[in-house]
Amino acid sequence: IMELVSQKMADGIHNWTMDTIMVTKNGRELEVESSISISFDEAGAPLESLAIIRDVTTQRHAKQEQDIIEARYRNIVQSLPHTSIILFDTDMRYILVDGSDLKVYGLPHPALVGQRLTYIMQMTPNYLHWDSLLKAHEATLAGKIVDLELPDIDRILRLQFSPLKSDGDITGGM
């Protein structure tokens, strides 16, 4: 670590964060995040340093578990034929967008995440069913389950909307 500190100081870097593995006395490995700051006197000599070392092992493992669950979920959604799943918050901002049907309509699903329905409506203004979709989103956020069947180019689209709840409060919809 002292070599790294010397190199950072030589490069003129006075504040940085790094990830390392530390080993406890009993041999347990911990993933740690170290934030280091060095103060210098007027002559440029190191005066004092502050290091904050935080054990992030639990958070990293939880993130890895979450990533595995999300990958499984995405695999399921992407494998379902003629299906898409969209989750939106109370501002009708899309927080998760995935599925095979999005490609059929030329909707760039990664670009939709974080966008509000009204913005997406502006991206594709010629789509005939925006009014119905907007009303379905609004009804879902009011706590209603909505089933829609909309005629499309070569088929009937069946859309199901359902509120998402946490502790009884509506937090969004799908």
Side-chain angles (χ1 to χ4, degrees):
I1 291 185
M2 292 311 294
E3 271 182 44
L4 178 64
V5 170
S6 296
Q7 183 62 48
K8 295 284 187 183
M9 286 174 42
D11 292 342
I13 300 171
H14 304 141
N15 301 296
W16 70 92
T17 300
M18 63 183 195
D19 294 334
T20 56
I21 303 289
M22 292 189 132
V23 181
T24 64
K25 288 181 184 178
N26 66 4
R28 182 171 166 239
E29 289 188 354
L30 299 176
E31 295 180 47
V32 297
E33 178 183 86
S34 303
S35 297
I36 300 164
S37 180
I38 300 174
S39 297
F40 296 85
D41 64 17
E42 293 173 5
L47 182 63
E48 60 187 9
S49 64
L50 172 67
I52 299 172
I53 300 173
R54 197 168 63 105
D55 179 1
V56 293
T57 307
T58 303
Q59 292 92 329
R60 297 269 167 84
H61 289 291
K63 174 76 170 105
Q64 289 170 346
E65 290 289 324
Q66 181 182 358
D67 290 347
I68 290 168
I69 290 168
E70 286 180 10
R72 286 181 190 147
Y73 169 79
R74 288 196 185 281
N75 187 33
I76 290 169
V77 171
Q78 292 169 353
S79 298
L80 293 170
H82 309 296
T83 302
S84 293
I85 305 266
I86 298 173
L87 302 181
F88 54 93
D89 65 15
T90 54
D91 293 326
M92 289 190 241
R93 185 181 312 274
Y94 287 1
I95 52 178
L96 185 140
V97 179
D98 212 336
S100 60
D101 263 6
L102 296 169
K103 293 173 190 162
V104 171
Y105 293 98
L107 293 172
H109 65 277
L112 298 178
V113 173
Q115 301 299 331
R116 290 193 168 132
L117 177 62
T118 51
Y119 173 79
I120 297 166
M121 291 167 68
Q122 292 170 1
M123 284 176 36
T124 53
N126 295 331
Y127 187 64
L128 300 175
H129 303 297
W130 282 130
D131 190 48
S132 298
L133 291 175
L134 181 59
K135 287 177 183 174
H137 279 71
E138 290 168 343
T140 301
L141 293 174
K144 297 182 174 125
I145 294 173
V146 179
D147 284 318
L148 286 179
E149 288 190 359
L150 303 172
D152 202 50
I153 299 165
D154 60 348
R155 61 184 168 161
I156 302 289
L157 292 177
R158 181 157 189 249
L159 307 173
Q160 296 175 308
F161 292 78
S162 181
L164 298 174
K165 295 181 180 181
S166 177
D167 296 325
D169 295 328
I170 296 172
T171 59
M174 65 180 289

